[in-house]
Amino acid sequence: MGASRSALQAKDRSGARPGPADVRRWPLLLGLVPLIPLLVLLLSLLERPQRQQIAVAPEESSTSEPLRLEAGGFGSPLIKLRAELPVNSSMGLGVELLDAGGATVLELAKDGWREAGTWSEGGESGRWEESDDGVRLSLRPPQAGMYRLRLTLEDLLDTAGRPLESPLLVRLEVRNHSVDAPLLWFTALVTLLMAGIAMRSIYRNWRQRKVLRLEDNHLRLRCRLGGAGLVRVEVRARYERPSSDAGPHSPRLQAELQLEVSDALGRSRLGFKRVLPVAAHSSDGDHWLTVEEVLHLKVDEPASLGLRLKLPETIADGGEPWEIEWMRLVLEDGVLSAHPVAVLTLEA
């Protein structure tokens, strides 16, 4: 393992170095923006609600214990009331919000009902139940402080309209930082899409210069490259045995990639060699090898550059040699990276 790593390092004579050139990290912060509404939602869910139970007799009033209501901060106070109505009954409930001095701040009335029964159809039967026995009140009090709720049970009737004398139990729950969860989820989704579009416009705003595929192990081309951003050279090749379906005999195969860059006068500006690992693939009895590599060049000013790429024509593994089937090159410039990458610089 150590010998293989030494051999690879010895072959890489390009002076490739990792560095901050053309690295743009700040757009990654846009991915944190959708977390803001989700954080607000989480903080709201972590709040411990204030809960009470209030028993109210017909045609009488009952007052809750003091409740703390906040006037500022995120979200708004949410008061939820749910009456435990008897089956097949209805009610008329008066609700008053009182401040610390006993003055009425808010007043409303709620008509509620609960019905249940049985059904049968086609030899099947079951029970059904429907109700409207709750109140949700979202508000912003004039000022933070202690408040009370006064409940008045004006009516409690059965289905025939006869009064019921049993007290009514009302469950009370108060959350001071209630938020609109569906709206926050929608906001998070929209900001996530906008952040994705912004990051794509920055990191994918490169120019594609050449896309070549040829049935050979080397290629030459000349193209105008350079300026802002990096030049990305993506190489991919496929090897097959010409007359055998045997798989690779060795688990660690290697191929040497050679890259030479010359200027407009034909002078060599970069000589690069690297030993690459070879990946083996199999499908339905078919076997092939692939070699892939992505290189980044830094060219300060746009210039006419000649590129010469070469891979081995064959790869030997002790059996019939693997022969190159095709080689594909994708050449792009103006590339920006979110993370430091190894950059090859041209000699002056």
Side-chain angles (χ1 to χ4, degrees), residues 120-178:
S120 62
E121 182 178 356
E124 297 182 356
S125 62
R127 287 187 56 82
W128 61 269
E129 181 172 329
E130 295 180 350
S131 64
D132 179 12
D133 56 5
V135 178
R136 290 174 60 93
L137 179 60
S138 183
L139 53 87
R140 180 80 65 176
Q143 59 184 8
M146 305 305 294
Y147 292 81
R148 292 174 182 263
L149 277 179
R150 182 163 61 200
L151 306 180
T152 303
L153 187 56
E154 299 171 354
D155 295 304
L156 183 60
L157 310 173
D158 61 13
T159 53
R162 295 186 297 265
L164 298 176
E165 300 300 330
S166 58
L168 181 66
L169 182 64
V170 180
R171 298 186 182 275
L172 168 65
E173 180 180 303
V174 176
R175 289 181 177 272
N176 272 305
H177 303 292
S178 174

Side-chain angles (χ1 to χ4, degrees), residues 77-244:
L78 174 65
I79 300 175
K80 294 194 294 185
L81 295 170
R82 189 178 67 82
E84 295 190 351
L85 283 169
V87 177
N88 296 325
S89 66
S90 62
M91 71 170 184
L93 184 66
V95 181
E96 295 176 86
L97 180 64
L98 310 177
D99 61 16
T104 300
V105 177
L106 182 67
E107 184 177 2
L108 59 91
K110 168 65 179 178
D111 293 329
W113 52 270
R114 180 185 178 191
E115 295 182 359
T118 60
W119 61 269
S120 62
E121 182 178 356
E124 297 182 356
S125 62
R127 287 187 56 82
W128 61 269
E129 181 172 329
E130 295 180 350
S131 64
D132 179 12
D133 56 5
V135 178
R136 290 174 60 93
L137 179 60
S138 183
L139 53 87
R140 180 80 65 176
Q143 59 184 8
M146 305 305 294
Y147 292 81
R148 292 174 182 263
L149 277 179
R150 182 163 61 200
L151 306 180
T152 303
L153 187 56
E154 299 171 354
D155 295 304
L156 183 60
L157 310 173
D158 61 13
T159 53
R162 295 186 297 265
L164 298 176
E165 300 300 330
S166 58
L168 181 66
L169 182 64
V170 180
R171 298 186 182 275
L172 168 65
E173 180 180 303
V174 176
R175 289 181 177 272
N176 272 305
H177 303 292
S178 174
V179 295
D180 189 338
L183 178 60
L184 289 176
W185 279 108
F186 177 75
T187 303
L189 178 61
V190 171
T191 52
L192 178 62
L193 293 176
M194 295 179 64
I197 293 172
M199 287 190 287
R200 184 178 178 85
S201 67
I202 294 172
Y203 293 128
R204 301 285 293 179
N205 191 28
W206 37 257
R207 299 174 294 274
Q208 191 173 78
R209 295 303 191 183
K210 292 287 184 180
V211 177
L212 298 175
R213 173 170 163 157
L214 63 161
E215 298 176 359
D216 205 342
N217 68 314
H218 66 278
L219 63 86
R220 294 175 180 269
L221 63 90
R222 181 166 291 276
C223 186
R224 187 169 182 82
L225 301 168
L230 300 173
V231 177
R232 180 163 54 204
V233 183
E234 181 178 337
V235 184
R236 178 181 172 88
R238 172 170 170 147
Y239 290 78
E240 289 190 351
R241 297 190 195 271
S243 60
S244 172

Side-chain angles (χ1 to χ4, degrees), residues 222-225 262-265 301-306:
R222 181 166 291 276
C223 186
R224 187 169 182 82
L225 301 168
S262 58
D263 60 16
L265 300 178
E301 298 293 336
S304 176
L305 299 177

